[in-house]
Amino acid sequence: MSTLSKFLIRKAYIEGRWQENLLMEVDLAGMILRLEPYDGQNEGEEKAEVVTGYVLPSIANAHSHAFQRAMAGRAEYGSGGEDSFWTWREVMYRCAAQMTPNTLYHIARQLYLEMIRGGYGAVCEFHYLHHRPDGHSYEDSAEMSLALIRAARDVGIALCHLPVLYMTGGFDRRALSGGQTRFGHSPESYRALWQSLERERGPDVTLGLAFHSLRAVPVEVIREFEDFAPDVPRHIHIAEQVKEVEDSLVHSGQRPVSYLMDHVDIDDKWCLVHATHLDNDEVTRLAASGAVAGLCPTTEANLGDGLFPMENYLDAGGRIAIGSDSHVSREVREELRWLEYGQRLDSGRRTVAASSETLHCGNRLYNDCLEGGASVSGFRTGKLAPGYRADLVVLKEDSLLLAGLPDEQLVDAYIFNGNERVIDHLMVGGKWVLKDGRHSREDEINTDFRETMESLLAEQGAHA
Ligand code: ZN
């Protein structure tokens, strides 16, 4: 019996260019073994499944807090005073307080299903809801992590699980209080959690290290982890809010990114999430470090964070990835679109991401985020090539959004043209998880999510 899957791909986006008629062989572990031009004579081609439509490598989502899917669209009312990230955070803490392993599982399943429909093949889950709401551990301290891992496996999305170290309530190192108590770990208990999760690693699950922020983890503690699991990705929230920059200046005399980079060896294993507020020196330093800026444009817009200095950073050779963070959007195209639109609104110019090497904005954004997302997820993904995972998305061949377009405009149109469904299929690790726009467990996942939301809202109403 053959252990390989074979696909005859009619049109694929490879290294930034469209090619036609390719034979792809995928092994049982979901890795591409062979990708070669199809000439009608290839060995084994008679067993190949024909894939029509436009095939692109799928993007890894660099930043997710799954539970926040339960509050998407629910923090859009005025509280009577001036609303900001910090008032939103209070609503978010109330949502976090309601999460049990079971509710988190159902919300994450729905979210991961929506991500697949939105074109993501992998997700980096930045997870800090470790304990019970009162701060006590679950019987198995990894229970909330395991709920997320089970959700990802049920849906079939590749998961980079990032348990988060969260120790303090501010730069002044005050103790955690209120809604934060269930997030807390000491470095020792965090190490133990991380090591207990190592058994969950597999072809579709990687593990990385995460530090919530410089507010929540003293920089000397981050440094203590330099030799711990030295090869895995490392993620941190940084410089998202002006107040965070101001607090950092008060307590360290430095801006957050400078402070971090002066004390920790930041290299290409790192994902600095948001990094919104950078001065010119930080732009240059961060770009030169090889670290990836994990940009979450729809969340950053929703929260009024500010604008990442993308043009200068890309010009300096900086690497980027996209994440959906609070999940007000779960679509690759909307994230990339707003990444570019923010820059246009700010600069009064168009095609900001275009460069002399890559004239098309869509291609530049897509290519860069493929590479950056793959790097910070710990998966060998983001490329259609032998030795990489067979993670790909297929756009509808007859989509009116792409009708009649020349090859060089297909990615631009995918990102910048409309919102009608354009994704037909999505493959993760050689397996179709979306076919003709549907997931095999979609109805069950949707129903469980609806019931979970109804019970969360009823519970909240009862306490209001
Ligand atoms: Zn975040």
Side-chain angles (χ1 to χ4, degrees):
M1 207 182 92
S2 170
T3 55
L4 301 172
S5 306
K6 297 189 174 73
F7 302 90
L8 175 52
I9 295 175
R10 290 302 181 194
K11 194 154 183 154
Y13 187 68
I14 295 181
E15 300 283 354
R17 290 185 42 240
W18 289 97
Q19 294 184 31
E20 292 188 2
N21 294 324
L22 296 152
L23 190 68
M24 179 174 80
E25 269 186 16
V26 178
D27 69 15
L28 274 181
M31 306 298 284
I32 300 173
L33 273 185
R34 190 158 68 114
L35 186 69
E36 60 184 29
Y38 169 72
D39 57 12
Q41 312 272 314
N42 309 56
E43 195 189 329
E45 50 101 357
E46 68 282 355
K47 294 187 202 116
E49 177 186 344
V50 177
V51 183
T52 54
Y54 304 102
V55 174
L56 298 108
S58 56
I59 281 185
N61 185 328
H63 193 63
S64 162
H65 308 286
F67 76 92
Q68 292 181 18
R69 172 63 184 86
M71 61 174 285
R74 291 176 53 208
E76 306 302 329
Y77 56 91
S79 66
E82 190 174 306
D83 281 309
S84 68
F85 172 88
W86 307 101
T87 54
W88 169 87
R89 196 175 71 159
E90 290 308 313
V91 180
M92 185 268 279
Y93 282 175
R94 285 200 291 279
C95 175
Q98 287 190 288
M99 292 295 137
T100 65
N102 191 48
T103 50
L104 182 62
Y105 165 72
H106 288 300
I107 288 160
R109 277 205 320 179
Q110 176 71 20
L111 170 70
Y112 295 157
L113 169 62
E114 291 167 346
M115 281 187 191
I116 276 172
R117 299 171 72 96
Y120 295 109
V123 55
C124 302
E125 180 63 42
F126 195 100
H127 165 64
Y128 53 84
L129 292 187
H130 301 300
H131 311 301
R132 295 176 198 273
D134 64 3
H136 288 96
S137 245
Y138 288 100
E139 211 159 300
D140 178 347
S141 64
E143 200 162 330
M144 293 290 263
S145 285
L146 296 173
L148 292 162
I149 293 168
R150 194 155 59 91
R153 286 192 164 133
D154 277 7
V155 171
I157 197 168
L159 177 73
C160 172
H161 187 59
L162 300 164
V164 173
L165 178 58
Y166 201 123
M167 296 169 62
T168 60
F171 281 95
D172 58 3
R173 304 188 180 183
R174 76 187 87 128
L176 300 180
S177 62
Q180 299 170 329
T181 44
R182 70 183 308 189
F183 312 158
H185 266 295
S186 66
E188 295 71 34
S189 65
Y190 175 73
R191 275 197 183 86
L193 170 69
W194 205 92
Q195 284 164 337
S196 80
L197 287 165
E198 288 197 79
R199 65 178 185 269
E200 296 296 326
R201 282 170 152 167
D204 285 341
V205 176
T206 57
L207 273 185
L209 293 173
F211 308 96
H212 181 272
S213 57
L214 292 174
R215 299 194 302 272
V217 188
V219 77
E220 62 273 14
V221 174
I222 300 175
R223 202 166 49 213
E224 282 170 22
F225 279 85
E226 275 179 356
D227 297 326
F228 183 83
D231 299 324
V232 304
R234 286 149 153 74
H235 292 233
I236 186 169
H237 287 132
I238 199 147
E240 180 179 6
Q241 283 287 319
V242 171
K243 182 174 182 304
E244 186 185 339
V245 177
E246 291 167 356
D247 288 353
S248 177
L249 281 164
V250 167
H251 290 280
S252 71
Q254 285 183 287
R255 302 169 59 83
V257 170
S258 296
Y259 182 51
L260 178 71
M261 295 190 77
D262 275 358
H263 291 85
V264 179
D265 187 14
I266 298 296
D267 59 16
D268 60 4
K269 289 192 301 290
W270 279 85
C271 181
L272 271 57
V273 179
H274 305 302
T276 311
H277 298 286
L278 304 176
D279 67 15
N280 290 338
D281 183 48
E282 289 174 316
V283 167
T284 312
R285 267 184 96 181
L286 183 58
S289 73
V292 171
L295 309 175
C296 308
T298 60
T299 293
E300 288 154 10
N302 187 280
L303 298 181
D305 287 347
L307 278 175
F308 177 77
M310 181 174 79
E311 187 171 21
N312 290 345
Y313 177 77
L314 290 181
D315 284 350
R319 300 165 74 212
I320 57 172
I322 46 163
S324 55
D325 193 2
S326 71
H327 310 305
V328 285
S329 168
R330 285 81 68 185
E331 284 201 48
V332 165
R333 64 178 167 186
E334 195 176 13
E335 227 52 69
L336 293 178
R337 186 181 296 176
W338 278 100
L339 180 54
E340 171 68 21
Y341 281 175
Q343 306 293 317
R344 293 187 191 184
L345 287 164
D346 190 48
S347 68
R349 288 181 294 112
R350 302 191 68 253
T351 64
V352 178
S355 68
S356 49
E357 295 86 54
T358 310
L359 291 176
H360 288 264
C361 234
N363 296 57
R364 173 72 189 282
L365 293 169
Y366 201 88
N367 298 349
D368 281 21
C369 292
L370 271 178
E371 190 280 327
S375 169
V376 301
S377 72
F379 287 109
R380 219 169 142 70
T381 184
K383 230 182 215 195
L384 296 178
Y388 284 79
R389 291 165 52 86
D391 293 341
L392 54 89
V393 60
V394 186
L395 308 184
K396 278 160 79 82
E397 190 181 29
D398 59 355
S399 169
L400 294 174
L401 303 183
L402 310 175
L405 295 179
D407 285 359
E408 65 270 21
Q409 293 186 350
L410 288 171
V411 182
D412 287 343
Y414 166 38
I415 294 165
F416 293 102
N417 183 14
N419 295 301
E420 291 82 359
R421 182 168 78 79
V422 66
I423 293 174
D424 244 355
H425 321 301
L426 191 128
M427 176 187 286
V428 178
K431 295 189 193 77
W432 293 116
V433 293
L434 195 77
K435 262 291 201 176
D436 300 316
R438 282 192 65 80
H439 186 277
S440 61
R441 294 178 67 179
E442 188 169 313
D443 293 340
E444 167 209 338
I445 290 170
N446 291 167
T447 302
D448 289 348
F449 173 71
R450 185 182 299 281
E451 285 171 7
T452 302
M453 285 301 295
E454 284 167 0
S455 66
L456 284 178
L457 286 162
E459 188 187 313
Q460 206 166 57
H463 293 126

